[in-house]
Amino acid sequence: MAALLKALAKSAGPKIAIGAGLAGIGLLVSGWIDRPAAEEAAAPAPLAKAPSAPETPTKPAERRSDQPMEIDPRALTVKRILKIDGPFRHGDYAWDESGAPTTGPVIITVDLRAQTLSVFRAGYEIGAAVILYGATDKPSPLGAFPITQKDADHYSNLYDNAPMPYMLRLTSDGVAIHGSDVQWGKATHGCIGVPVAFAQKLFGVTKLGDVVVITNGKRLDISKAQVGA
């Protein structure tokens, strides 16, 4: 019996060896193919980034007319002023953004004595207008005030629902810049009135927090500013 088994093993040996070798290669190959997939499956998926919430501009604190803010004088440096030919009468305005930076801080200056408003972007004057301002019983405040509200279709809640198009609110007690019928002899209840077409342009270039500086005869130093484009 032992001799028979030995003979069978001898005759079947090559087949068993070849089969075992192929089986081993099969295991190696299948292991080489399957491992990356297994590793990928085992690796933790990268964490998806949570969508970032859009930044909400911080609304500046409201101020009363008797609470103007401090402002760095360097922010009032003038690099260019507009060239305005001829007299500047009530109802007139100028607007020219050519040659001015497309971005940069916007500052508005108002001179009550000169009855004019200028808007600067990065030190370049891009607009100017003749204004209306507060009468003696309700004068316009002096000092620097941030824009705290914008409303293109605003109506006064203090003065008989009067229209105040393209309103830029400056104080908590009702002072704003807005579109008006700017005519000689008219006045406001403390607001700064500008031609409606100019108010629309001004509305488009300003944002909350931009500063308006109101003076009564004190003008910016333009001695080193170029004129025109």
Side-chain angles (χ1 to χ4, degrees):
M1 185 66 177
L4 178 61
L5 291 176
K6 185 175 180 181
L8 289 174
K10 185 177 180 179
S11 62
K15 295 180 182 179
I16 294 174
I18 293 173
L22 290 177
I25 294 173
L27 289 173
L28 289 174
V29 171
S30 65
W32 180 78
I33 292 174
D34 291 343
R35 187 163 50 246
E39 288 176 351
E40 287 178 3
L47 296 175
K49 292 184 178 180
S52 56
E55 293 185 4
T56 304
T58 303
K59 182 180 177 181
E62 293 189 343
R63 295 170 177 267
R64 297 192 312 268
S65 295
D66 61 350
Q67 294 177 316
M69 63 185 288
E70 296 291 333
I71 185 168
D72 186 344
R74 291 174 296 181
L76 302 176
T77 301
V78 178
K79 299 177 182 177
R80 187 199 72 175
I81 58 173
L82 292 176
K83 182 180 180 181
I84 299 176
D85 297 318
F88 215 34
R89 300 186 178 92
H90 285 75
D92 290 345
Y93 72 89
W95 192 277
D96 186 0
E97 298 184 52
S98 60
T102 56
T103 60
V106 172
I107 288 183
I108 299 167
T109 63
V110 178
D111 185 347
L112 301 180
R113 184 176 299 176
Q115 301 180 48
T116 56
L117 176 152
S118 291
V119 53
F120 297 88
R121 182 195 290 134
Y124 286 69
E125 187 180 34
I126 59 175
V130 179
I131 65 168
L132 298 179
Y133 59 97
T136 54
D137 61 329
K138 184 65 174 177
S140 299
L142 299 179
F145 301 91
I147 296 172
T148 58
Q149 181 188 2
K150 295 178 63 176
D151 187 355
D153 191 27
H154 187 72
Y155 288 83
S156 174
N157 55 6
L158 296 175
Y159 305 110
D160 301 324
N161 206 38
M164 301 169 66
Y166 304 106
M167 185 274 294
L168 307 174
R169 186 179 300 281
L170 305 182
T171 73
S172 60
D173 49 352
V175 176
I177 299 173
H178 59 79
S180 296
D181 180 15
V182 180
Q183 295 185 26
W184 170 259
K186 288 190 173 183
T188 71
H189 294 282
C191 289
I192 306 299
V194 295
V196 174
F198 180 86
Q200 183 178 14
K201 293 179 178 293
L202 186 61
F203 190 92
V205 301
T206 53
K207 65 182 184 304
L208 298 185
D210 286 343
V211 176
V212 178
V213 181
I214 305 174
T215 67
N216 189 18
K218 186 177 180 180
R219 304 184 184 183
L220 300 183
D221 180 8
I222 62 172
S223 60
K224 297 181 180 180
Q226 67 181 84
V227 179

